[in-house]
């Protein structure tokens, strides 16, 4: 951040007119005020008309002054004219306000328009559309370093041989020397990892450090995900009354339910004749066996 501050202060205005110089100095002051926010995150507001279209805020002045392109891929598909009309040239914050206003309107046309806009936000919750991805690929310059904004995250992006890549900065890949870039070629997040030369990385989790640790971050993540899924399924299959019980209490409750089920079935079992092999004796009088062969009445009084 100190380096960025020095870079901002070293920039000289290209225009010599007094008005433009004052405007430039104001932008520098705004950028210097925003710099401390880089430690926690910047507030930017996208527009859905262009990959480089953001509502201008003091935060954007940092990128403008340093000459760093700022992109996003959250665009409306032009093949959906209803969505294009509902979203228009509004920013994200303006669109949310419009949806709230339209849904409480008495005009059915405004209500419909608000529902269409709301559906657009719901179906593009990943904040990246295929139309936006195509426009992003076309707008980015070859081997240009830029910043890509998505889901409140800023990523370093570059374009190499007409393909987009994001710099991998996750702490879990700190020891993975062959993982430097992550491809950005679809909306669903099915990406590939590459090394510093943009060659596909096949050694994920096989570095000496990872082997010495016993498991790679990816394997550990898979184990955690499997555990969470198993825990979720267990909670779904578990009766509602048993949630929050200890192991001992759960075992006691299950044992009590099993005992009650056995007690409910016990009268029926005593009336049913036990299967015996030919020539076997039961130890009971023969008259009792002959009585059991008679058809039982429909009702039994206990």
């Amino acid at each position: 951040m100190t380096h960025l501050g020095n870079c901002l202060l070293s920039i000289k205005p290209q225009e010599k007119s007094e008005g433009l110089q004052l405007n430039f100095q104001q932008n520098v002051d705004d950028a210097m005020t925003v710099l401390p926010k880089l430690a926690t995150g910047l507030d930017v507001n996208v527009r859905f008309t262009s990959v480089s279209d953001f509502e201008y805020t003091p935060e954007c002045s940092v990128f403008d002054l340093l000459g760093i392109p700022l992109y996003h891929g959250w665009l409306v598909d032009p093949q959906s004219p209803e969505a294009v009309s509902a979203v228009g040239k509004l920013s994200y914050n303006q669109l949310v306000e419009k949806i709230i206003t339209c849904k409480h309107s008495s005009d059915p046309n405004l209500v419909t328009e608000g529902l269409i806009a709301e559906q657009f936000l719901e179906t593009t919750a990943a904040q990246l559309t295929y139309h936006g991805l195509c426009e992003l690929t076309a707008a980015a310059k070859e081997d240009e370093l830029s910043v890509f904004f998505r889901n409140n995250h800023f990523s370093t992006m570059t374009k190499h041989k007409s393909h987009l890549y994001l710099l991998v900065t996750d702490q879990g890949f700190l020891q993975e020397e062959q993982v430097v870039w992550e491809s950005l070629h679809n909306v669903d997040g099915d990406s590939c990892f590459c090394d510093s030369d943009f060659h596909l990385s096949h050694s994920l989790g096989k570095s000496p450090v990872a082997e010495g640790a016993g498991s790679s971050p990816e394997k550990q993540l898979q184990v955690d995900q499997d555990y969470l899924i198993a825990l979720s399924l267990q909670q779904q299959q578990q009766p509602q009354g048993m949630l929050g019980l200890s192991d001992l209490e759960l075992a006691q409750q299950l044992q009590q339910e099993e005992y009650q089920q056995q007690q409910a079935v016990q009268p029926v079992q005593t009336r049913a004749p036990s299967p015996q092999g030919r020539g076997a004796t039961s130890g009971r009088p023969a008259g009792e066996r002959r009585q059991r062969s008679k058809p039982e009445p429909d009702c039994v009084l206990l």
Side-chain angles (χ1 to χ4, degrees):
M1 291 171 60
T2 302
H3 176 67
L4 290 178
N6 293 333
C7 291
L8 290 173
L9 294 176
S10 64
I11 299 176
K12 302 298 181 181
Q14 298 180 355
E15 301 293 338
K16 296 182 180 181
S17 63
E18 183 177 356
L20 292 178
Q21 288 185 358
L22 291 176
N23 186 37
F24 174 83
Q25 188 60 42
Q26 181 63 44
N27 291 337
V28 173
D29 294 340
D30 292 341
M32 295 298 294
T33 304
V34 170
L35 272 185
K37 296 182 180 179
L38 290 175
T40 56
L42 298 178
D43 182 20
V44 296
N45 192 15
V46 303
R47 298 184 188 273
F48 307 97
T49 53
S50 172
V51 294
S52 59
D53 195 0
F54 293 83
E55 180 184 0
Y56 186 80
T57 59
E59 285 80 359
C60 295
S61 61
V62 178
F63 300 95
D64 293 340
L65 290 173
L66 295 176
I68 300 175
L70 177 62
Y71 296 119
H72 71 90
W74 200 0
L75 300 185
V76 183
D77 191 347
Q79 296 183 358
S80 302
E82 294 181 350
V84 173
S85 176
V87 175
K89 297 182 179 180
L90 301 178
S91 65
Y92 172 79
N93 293 339
Q94 293 172 338
L95 185 61
V96 172
E97 294 176 359
K98 177 181 178 179
I99 293 174
I100 297 175
T101 303
C102 290
K103 291 178 67 175
H104 293 83
S105 174
S106 58
D107 187 351
N109 294 328
L110 290 179
V111 174
T112 302
E113 191 172 348
L115 292 176
I116 294 175
E118 185 179 31
Q119 184 181 15
F120 165 74
L121 292 182
E122 292 177 353
T123 55
T124 60
Q127 298 188 5
L128 179 63
T129 63
Y130 281 106
H131 174 63
L133 188 58
C134 293
E135 292 295 316
L136 189 63
T137 305
K141 298 179 181 179
E142 188 72 13
D143 295 327
E144 172 190 59
L145 286 177
S146 58
V147 174
F148 177 63
F149 176 77
R150 181 186 183 187
N151 290 332
N152 293 329
H153 285 80
F154 296 87
S155 302
T156 301
M157 186 179 70
T158 190
K159 181 179 177 181
H160 181 73
K161 294 183 178 180
S162 302
H163 294 285
L164 298 176
Y165 296 91
L166 302 178
L167 186 66
V168 177
T169 58
D170 193 280
Q171 185 74 15
F173 297 100
L174 180 62
Q175 306 297 339
E176 300 290 345
E177 298 180 357
Q178 300 301 317
V179 177
V180 180
W181 296 99
E182 181 181 2
S183 64
L184 179 64
H185 59 269
N186 61 27
V187 177
D188 301 327
D190 186 14
S191 57
C192 303
F193 293 105
C194 303
D195 59 14
S196 58
D197 296 323
F198 301 97
H199 296 151
L200 188 63
S201 177
H202 299 284
S203 60
L204 186 60
K206 296 182 180 180
S207 61
V209 178
E211 291 179 356
S215 63
S216 67
E218 186 185 28
K219 292 181 179 178
Q220 184 62 40
L221 178 62
Q222 184 64 40
V223 171
D224 294 341
Q225 290 177 345
D226 292 342
Y227 171 73
L228 292 176
I229 293 175
L231 184 61
S232 177
L233 292 175
Q234 181 182 7
Q235 292 177 350
Q236 292 176 4
Q237 296 174 358
Q238 197 174 47
Q240 186 67 25
M242 296 183 181
L243 294 178
L245 299 178
S246 65
D247 293 341
L248 178 59
E249 293 172 338
L250 181 59
Q252 292 175 346
Q253 184 168 341
L254 290 175
Q255 186 177 7
Q256 180 66 22
E257 291 180 358
E258 183 179 359
Y259 174 76
Q260 292 175 356
Q261 292 176 358
Q262 292 178 352
Q263 289 295 107
V265 178
Q266 187 68 25
V268 179
Q269 290 179 346
T270 56
R271 293 194 301 269
S274 59
Q276 298 178 359
R278 186 174 182 179
T281 59
S282 62
R284 296 180 181 180
E288 184 177 350
R289 290 199 299 270
R290 286 195 297 270
Q291 291 176 0
R292 287 180 179 272
S293 62
K294 297 181 181 180
E296 296 183 358
D298 294 339
C299 297
V300 178
L301 297 179
L302 301 179

